[in-house]
Amino acid sequence: MTLKPLDFDFSLMSDLSVRPPHSVPEEEMLAEVEQTLADRSVFYRRQVERGKMRVDEAERHIALLADVAADLRGRPAGEPAAFAWEAKVRELRREIAIRRNRWPKRIDSHVDPLDRATAARRLEQLDSVHFHYWVRFAFADDLVAGLEPPHFLASDGRRGVLRGWQWRAWAWERDALARGDPAARPAMAGFYADVAAGDAWAAGIWNHYRFCAERLGFAEPARAA
């Protein structure tokens, strides 16, 4: 089966979420993945027993999330990931989409109730894991110290990666503005604050992006006030 290519239309922030994804601590991200993994192990086993899910299907979903947890914990040197980046992004989007569809209904349900604050916190944490993969992990190899921008721009296929980063930034800004959340205006306020404070990771991302965007003729997103 041919999968639809990953695109930029997947909202980076759920309707129930309050905190923007770049603001959630990594320990919360890992805790959420581990909790989801524990929940899946129980629920999917029941689904298999009831004939509603194949064994191999359940095992793959669990293994994908376990690989995400291993990424977040930090792998020992030389230990390869079990799944590719794209497969893990798809799995995270699958789980987030399920929650976005089902959890608002559970909040209003008397049969299977879910506390709104708990739903918001857990969605924020999983939104953040997806943001971590979609924006940060995707460009880790492109930010190696000593990589010269002209060489980067000349590499095969790199223009698409650059355009991807540009559109990821815009998609995040678009989503936050659409929510009408004053705290998220502009949406990358936290990122820009880190740049201004001299955070090495944020400044490296921004300077690299700005240089490449200028070379490719992309407009610069609005800066934080």
Side-chain angles (χ1 to χ4, degrees), residues 23 26 36 83 91-92 101 119 126 145 170 173 184 192 196 200 210:
S23 69
E26 292 189 9
T36 304
F83 294 92
E91 187 66 16
L92 289 167
N101 179 54
L126 204 61
W170 283 356
E173 291 183 340
Y192 286 126
R210 182 171 57 186

Side-chain angles (χ1 to χ4, degrees), residues 25-45:
E26 292 189 9
E27 57 268 24
E28 287 191 41
M29 293 162 51
L30 176 57
E32 176 57 35
V33 172
E34 291 179 334
Q35 178 62 56
T36 304
L37 187 58
D39 293 343
R40 277 191 181 188
S41 297
V42 174
F43 179 69
Y44 285 1
R45 183 179 68 249

Side-chain angles (χ1 to χ4, degrees), residues 183-200:
R185 209 179 273 270
M188 292 297 281
F191 172 77
Y192 286 126
D194 289 342
V195 173
D199 177 81

